[in-house]
Amino acid sequence: MPRYRYPVISESEVTPKVVFENRRHFLRQGFAIGAAAALAPGMLLPKDAYAWADVLKPVLQTDLPSQELAGGEAFTDFRDATTYNNFYEFGTGKRDPEVFAHNLPVDPWSITLEGELDKTGAIPLEDILKRYSLEERIYRLRCVEAWSMVIPWVGFPLADLLNYHGLTSKSNYVEFESLYDPDNLRGQRRSIIDWPYREALRVDEAMHPLTLLAVGMYGEKMPNQNGAPIRLVVPWKYGFKSIKSITKIRVLEEQPTTSWQARNPEEYGFYGNVNPEVDHPRWSQARERRIGESGRRETLMFNGYSEEVAHLYEGMDLHQYY
Ligand SMILES: Nc1nc2c(c(=O)[nH]1)N[C@H]1C(S)=C(S)[C@@H](COP(=O)(O)O)O[C@H]1N2
Ligand SMILES: [Mo]
């Protein structure tokens, strides 16, 4: 019998309440300053300073959505969701992203679209945001390390972007790349994984209405440590598929290799679907720790989104395609 280990989250790993309150205040204020400065006439600011944040501001609502929308599950504390993170560009410690992600250069930001699309090119994020209407979506995020959170995300379906740019008959896979900038992203000065962080989806997964490009959470623009300014959220897959700080989207005919597959193909498959019946080679996936709770919950097939996504994998052996 294998002995399973679970990552432990100690109480000392989260910031005290006072720091959390300050932090929220700071985030809001910082946002207001950025927006106001860009609008003030005659100021010597670069023309595009916070152009995407200006577009985002009017559509964000700083109130939390009603708890009912979470289907009876409590939201994870904003504090926990922003102080217990995986973002290896800033180091492998759960606190590293909160401590170092102020170095993430988020402005200006653009995404380059390449490959099997009718329209390709580098698009400024503000132009992307102007095209689509943003929605608030409450999704569970289940990390492969057997912890999970419930987060109100703000974003738009990836399908909207792909439809706009036009898929071709050869559009079988969608690959994503995160920012590569070792001067600012200290984790990239070490070969933790094959940088830049790369992830990919099959095109039907990418086009699924649950697949979200998120630009905010908890009614705020995306905190740097959570993948500012734009990240993926694929709620039925392990967290590593939800790639942060996206700079490139490449549509391909052949299935690409992801950074996690390249690092350890036995442990991380291409699909990464949440599946309590397929264990990670070093630990069980049957249960999870919801951040903020003390006990453990049963992990649900496809993270509880079976009704929406199980049909995508009909006839596939999920032990083979993990
Ligand atoms: N670019 C990038 N994206 C990433 C990661 C990363 O290290 N780099 N970690 C992934 C993992 S393993 C998880 S569980 C989620 C965590 O998201 P959160 O920290 O916002 O909860 O981000 C994913 N996206
Ligand atoms: Mo993860």
Side-chain angles (χ1 to χ4, degrees), residues 46-301:
K47 201 165 161 273
D48 289 323
Y50 281 92
W52 61 260
D54 282 345
V55 175
L56 202 51
K57 189 189 179 199
V59 290
L60 286 177
Q61 296 183 328
T62 44
D63 295 339
L64 280 184
S66 108
Q67 190 63 59
E68 280 162 39
L69 289 171
E73 294 181 43
F75 300 131
T76 300
D77 262 15
F78 179 83
R79 172 189 65 178
D80 291 341
T82 51
T83 55
Y84 190 85
N85 300 102
N86 273 343
F87 199 170
Y88 280 12
E89 281 83 341
F90 295 104
T92 52
K94 295 287 180 275
R95 293 297 303 273
D96 287 339
E98 186 222 358
V99 174
F100 296 108
H102 60 276
N103 290 324
L104 179 69
V106 293
D107 175 48
W109 195 272
S110 62
I111 297 183
T112 302
L113 289 118
E114 292 179 355
E116 293 298 334
L117 290 167
D118 294 334
K119 287 183 250 179
T120 56
I123 325 283
L125 181 55
E126 55 274 22
D127 294 350
I128 293 175
L129 291 179
K130 278 177 203 158
R131 287 187 202 144
Y132 314 111
S133 54
L134 298 182
E135 306 164 31
E136 193 146 44
R137 300 262 191 100
I138 297 144
Y139 285 166
R140 289 180 285 272
L141 186 113
R142 167 58 158 83
C143 181
V144 73
E145 295 168 89
W147 49 266
S148 62
M149 303 194 192
V150 176
I151 294 180
W153 304 98
V154 179
F156 59 92
L158 172 63
D160 289 359
L161 184 82
L162 294 175
N163 281 331
Y164 181 92
H165 287 272
L167 296 172
T168 75
S169 59
K170 291 180 182 165
S171 304
N172 296 330
Y173 294 91
V174 183
E175 186 186 41
F176 307 85
E177 261 183 41
S178 295
L179 180 67
Y180 181 67
D181 183 359
D183 287 343
N184 289 307
L185 311 184
R186 62 196 287 275
Q188 290 182 332
R189 293 173 223 150
R190 294 164 48 208
S191 46
I192 308 165
I193 57 166
D194 182 19
W195 307 113
Y197 193 108
R198 292 184 316 283
E199 260 307 334
L201 298 171
R202 222 170 51 188
V203 74
D204 56 342
E205 300 174 323
M207 291 297 284
H208 193 282
L210 283 181
T211 304
L212 201 69
L213 277 172
V215 292
M217 56 185 231
Y218 300 83
E220 312 268 6
K221 68 179 163 129
M222 190 65 72
N224 283 6
Q225 58 266 46
N226 294 85
I230 183 163
R231 67 172 291 175
L232 200 64
V233 189
V234 194
W236 70 94
K237 292 179 179 281
Y238 291 120
F240 64 88
K241 302 293 292 183
S242 289
I243 182 172
K244 297 176 167 181
S245 305
I246 297 167
T247 57
K248 208 167 266 186
I249 298 179
R250 192 181 289 121
V251 181
L252 300 167
E253 188 171 9
E254 307 292 339
Q255 183 176 310
T257 302
T258 68
S259 291
W260 283 104
Q261 278 182 294
R263 172 171 144 152
N264 193 337
E266 307 296 312
E267 297 192 0
Y268 309 99
F270 176 83
Y271 285 90
N273 289 323
V274 175
N275 189 336
E277 286 160 24
V278 178
D279 289 339
H280 184 282
R282 292 185 282 133
W283 60 81
S284 167
Q285 295 292 11
R287 295 166 147 273
E288 67 198 56
R289 175 180 155 107
R290 180 66 50 81
I291 301 291
E293 292 180 356
S294 48
R296 302 200 183 282
R297 293 171 170 253
E298 305 276 311
T299 285
L300 303 172
M301 187 64 199

